[in-house]
Amino acid sequence: MIVSFEHEYLRILYEEGRSSDKRHRYQPDIVRRYQKAINFLKGASGIEALWQIRSLNYEVLSGNKSGRSSVRVNDQYRVEFTVSLNDNEPVLTICNVVELSNHYK
């Protein structure tokens, strides 16, 4: 799968492991798990393969986040992304890293 980033800070966070933007700083453990989740997404053979990796907790979102999917970084954070097709290959666009509220846990 092809992975792209909607915002520059998400790409920098993945590639460099830190963000210079003070608004988007995360604990080192969260950054490592974020990088690991993105690597899982890059290495997956297709969207169907994400359902099989239980640790990702892949889900298709609904409601006001309709059209997005997510995988868990840990119990507290998730990575939201959109899926589109480009020459029959899925393209994932990473939208953001979201802290889960208590009613989602």
Side-chain angles (χ1 to χ4, degrees), residues 12-55:
I12 292 170
L13 189 64
Y14 172 69
E15 291 175 354
E16 297 179 14
R18 58 184 160 76
S19 176
S20 59
D21 182 3
K22 290 184 181 182
R23 188 169 165 227
H24 299 105
R25 290 192 180 170
Y26 300 96
Q27 295 292 324
D29 182 54
I30 301 301
V31 173
R32 278 192 303 276
R33 289 173 186 246
Y34 166 74
Q35 291 170 324
K36 185 177 178 180
I38 300 300
N39 287 335
F40 271 125
L41 294 174
K42 282 185 169 187
S45 58
I47 296 299
E48 299 81 23
L50 298 178
W51 291 104
Q52 298 172 353
I53 305 170
R54 290 191 160 292
S55 64

Side-chain angles (χ1 to χ4, degrees), residues 51-73:
W51 291 104
Q52 298 172 353
I53 305 170
R54 290 191 160 292
S55 64
L56 288 178
N57 291 325
Y58 172 72
E59 63 181 318
V60 177
L61 302 177
S62 60
N64 64 348
K65 297 203 178 208
S66 181
R68 288 188 177 184
S69 300
S70 75
V71 294
R72 292 277 177 92
V73 173

Side-chain angles (χ1 to χ4, degrees), residues 55-98:
S55 64
L56 288 178
N57 291 325
Y58 172 72
E59 63 181 318
V60 177
L61 302 177
S62 60
N64 64 348
K65 297 203 178 208
S66 181
R68 288 188 177 184
S69 300
S70 75
V71 294
R72 292 277 177 92
V73 173
N74 67 1
D75 290 340
Q76 190 176 3
Y77 291 91
R78 70 178 175 197
V79 175
E80 292 181 351
F81 57 92
T82 59
V83 179
S84 59
L85 286 177
N86 184 13
D87 297 329
N88 295 327
E89 186 170 6
V91 176
L92 305 180
T93 303
I94 307 301
C95 298
N96 56 17
V97 179
V98 179

Side-chain angles (χ1 to χ4, degrees), residues 3-20:
V3 174
S4 64
F5 299 92
E6 186 174 307
H7 303 288
E8 186 66 15
Y9 82 90
L10 293 166
R11 184 190 61 76
I12 292 170
L13 189 64
Y14 172 69
E15 291 175 354
E16 297 179 14
R18 58 184 160 76
S19 176
S20 59

